[in-house]
Amino acid sequence: MALCQIHVPFRSSSRQKIARFSNTKLLRINCGYSSFEVRDVSYQPPGTQLKLLNSVSFSLPDKSLGLIFGQSGSGKTTLLQLLAGINKPTSGSIYTQKFWNDGNPSQPPEPLVPERVGIVFQFPERYFVADSVLDEVTFGWPRQKDSYQLRENLALGLQRAINWVGLSGLPLDKNPHSLSGGYKRRLALAIQLVQIPDLLILDEPLAGLDWKARADVVKLLMNLKKELTVLVVSHDLREFTSLVDRSWRMEMGGYLREELLPF
């Protein structure tokens, strides 16, 4: 993105314009961007000699959608677990970086903290534990009396998340297990969107859905990437062709390389 420069001249009569041109104020707006960065990340489970990931590196700019695909067992889910903070890399770093328009960093990198990552696992409805939509969404909220302000902020975030995923007309006392497959995925997304994450991760978000629900989820992600940075792991490549900004293939042995979708 280019450096934005806006000239703001003094108000003056036509006779004064030339004389005051040299005193014109220049408002400089630095138009930069931020990016999610993975650099040389490897993972070897404790007590083993087998590396599940080998020097994985990639970048995903803010408010874009990235897709990782590849064979089962190649390391895709392992990578997601590292990004979400479930496991820690054996080596390498995971961080966010702000850049100037010329591609140079504008400040030191900031580690990606697990609390700022939202993750929706494959078949997330299997992990629903409550008997109502409201109880499911608020299951992990703080219960202490002195957390009123936090709970108020979460409630505002809940309303925003429900609107984002298209559940605004859904009764909050409805049993989440009675929802259709597509609505269960929407609910799982809403839970992760209550506190806007720096990175939203989706593991096989179309798995087990019929054609209409799949189309609805893809449309939903098209809108979400306007607000969030989204990383998807999926075998369903054709549906994502129209909304993917960057894509990578994970090869057996845990090697990642950038590759366009084959459609």
Side-chain angles (χ1 to χ4, degrees), residues 80-100:
L80 296 192
Q81 292 173 347
L82 297 182
L83 302 181
I86 298 172
N87 292 315
K88 294 184 178 180
T90 305
S91 60
S93 54
I94 302 170
Y95 57 93
T96 57
Q97 179 70 66
K98 294 185 182 298
F99 295 92
W100 296 121

Side-chain angles (χ1 to χ4, degrees), residues 101-155:
N101 60 294
D102 59 5
N104 290 317
S106 60
Q107 63 183 49
E110 298 179 357
L112 183 69
V113 296
E115 292 78 14
R116 299 299 306 153
V117 178
I119 184 168
V120 179
F121 293 104
Q122 187 176 2
F123 300 114
E125 57 272 13
R126 295 177 179 175
Y127 305 100
F128 288 170
V129 296
D131 295 326
S132 73
V133 169
L134 181 60
D135 287 343
E136 186 65 46
V137 175
T138 62
F139 179 76
W141 289 20
R143 307 297 177 183
Q144 300 88 346
K145 293 181 179 180
D146 59 356
S147 63
Y148 174 79
Q149 185 62 52
L150 175 58
R151 289 173 60 82
E152 183 178 37
N153 291 338
L154 289 173

